[in-house]
Amino acid sequence: MSTPRFLTLPPGVTAQRIQTPVGGFAVLEARPVTGVAERWPALLVPGYTGSKEDFIAILQTLAQAGRRVFAMDLRGQFETPGPEDPSAYTCAALGADVDVVATAVGDGEPVHLLGHSFGGLVTRETVLDGTAKLASYTLMSSGPGGIVGPREHAGRTMLADLPTLGVERLWTDRLEPEAIRAGVPDDIVAFLRRRLLANSVTGLLTMGRAVLDSTDRVDELCQTGLSTLVLYGEHDDGWPPTLQAEMADRLDCDCVVVPGAAHSPAVEAPETTAAALTRFWNAAESAILHR
């Protein structure tokens, strides 16, 4: 899971709830501390077991470039409640939710959409649906299909254990000791526990299977014509960097490798990540406006 390094909201960042025709969604909204939001907004979508707080370190910097930036909890994640109905947590259903949220935050303007990890599998459904008015698309530390390698093994183990152990014991027996061994501060450990236990168990199971078993849809993404960026850490331990580079080649799109980062560039290298996103978003806007 992504582990934010701090939880205090930076200047210009506030916790909000966006009301839509399909329900309310918890978001963090960032606005420029100085100046005005004259550029098109952005919507950031977290990964499996993640939340809007995974982007907290980049929100102020992104907004200060002159745009509103929103990070959301998916349905069933942390502070966005969801039903105990597996059909609500498929990539297609979650992608439709993102579509509605993007339309709400855009308020008539095109939106820069970003999906991190599992969020990439969700947001590609939003892109392929073609309903939302999008300015660009970023796949951050995501892949063409289901995750592979060590994280695949860990994910299948978790899904096998979750129905019998339950979320709280999974946290106590496995995830909390891992966080403590990694030197995560006590307040962040407490947050990780609170976040995990707030998740819908049905959502965790359904989304977990999607992370592992999603099919490759890159060829379909190639047909959209949407300006796209593939961004990942040089030490990513999720989808292998070589696989993500190959995906960028297939998409014939920009590719940014973040030095020193692993699977969560927004946490591990926030300034580098924010600078790369701002450059890409500004270029995408310029290309659209000067067509």
Side-chain angles (χ1 to χ4, degrees):
M1 70 182 82
S2 287
T3 304
R5 292 179 177 170
F6 63 89
L7 298 170
T8 302
L9 297 184
V13 180
T14 57
Q16 306 281 348
R17 183 166 293 276
I18 293 178
Q19 297 299 330
T20 78
V22 298
F25 292 84
V27 302
L28 294 177
E29 178 184 0
R31 290 176 177 265
V33 177
T34 58
V36 296
E38 59 187 1
R39 295 187 176 276
W40 293 338
L43 177 61
L44 316 180
V45 180
Y48 181 60
T49 72
S51 67
K52 57 194 178 301
E53 286 76 15
D54 295 343
F55 302 106
I56 201 168
I58 63 174
L59 290 176
Q60 182 184 18
T61 304
L62 291 175
Q64 204 51 42
R67 58 174 47 88
R68 294 175 302 138
V69 182
F70 298 83
M72 67 179 289
D73 290 341
L74 288 167
R75 188 182 301 276
Q77 279 186 336
F78 193 31
E79 294 179 323
T80 297
E84 295 309 307
D85 176 2
S87 68
Y89 304 108
T90 64
C91 286
L94 295 171
D97 286 342
V98 172
D99 193 329
V100 173
V101 174
T103 299
V105 303
D107 194 24
E109 293 184 314
V111 174
H112 298 284
L113 181 62
L114 178 150
H116 172 239
S117 193
F118 172 64
L121 302 179
V122 169
T123 52
R124 70 181 185 182
E125 300 292 330
T126 308
V127 172
L128 292 173
D129 176 73
T131 303
K133 191 176 182 181
L134 299 179
S136 73
Y137 181 41
T138 300
L139 287 155
M140 175 188 284
S141 302
S142 193
I147 200 164
V148 297
R151 283 184 182 251
E152 178 189 8
H153 175 74
R156 295 198 185 280
T157 300
M158 175 177 162
L159 287 185
D161 292 345
L162 185 57
T164 53
L165 292 181
V167 178
E168 186 143 19
R169 188 171 167 193
L170 184 69
W171 168 258
T172 303
D173 290 359
R174 186 175 308 164
L175 300 179
E176 182 179 34
E178 289 176 0
I180 292 172
R181 282 196 301 271
V184 177
D186 291 347
D187 63 323
I188 305 297
V189 171
F191 164 76
L192 295 176
R193 178 184 184 277
R194 183 162 57 93
R195 178 173 72 175
L196 183 69
L197 268 59
N199 277 262
S200 159
V201 176
T202 301
L204 286 173
L205 290 168
T206 307
M207 288 188 275
R209 285 191 286 270
V211 172
L212 297 168
D213 300 329
S214 287
T215 58
D216 186 326
R217 303 194 70 183
V218 173
D219 289 344
E220 294 170 76
L221 284 175
C222 290
Q223 306 304 313
T224 65
L226 185 62
S227 182
T228 301
L229 171 68
V230 170
L231 182 149
Y232 55 91
E234 66 172 330
H235 305 300
D236 198 333
D237 60 348
W239 286 267
T242 53
L243 185 62
Q244 295 184 64
E246 178 185 301
M247 179 174 67
D249 285 343
R250 292 172 62 191
L251 289 166
D252 191 24
C253 73
D254 292 342
C255 182
V256 172
V257 182
V258 180
H263 191 57
S264 300
V267 174
E268 297 144 355
E271 292 305 315
T272 304
T273 299
L277 290 174
T278 296
R279 284 194 303 271
F280 171 64
W281 291 343
N282 289 352
E285 285 183 32
S286 180
I288 292 172
L289 291 171
H290 291 92
R291 281 176 183 169

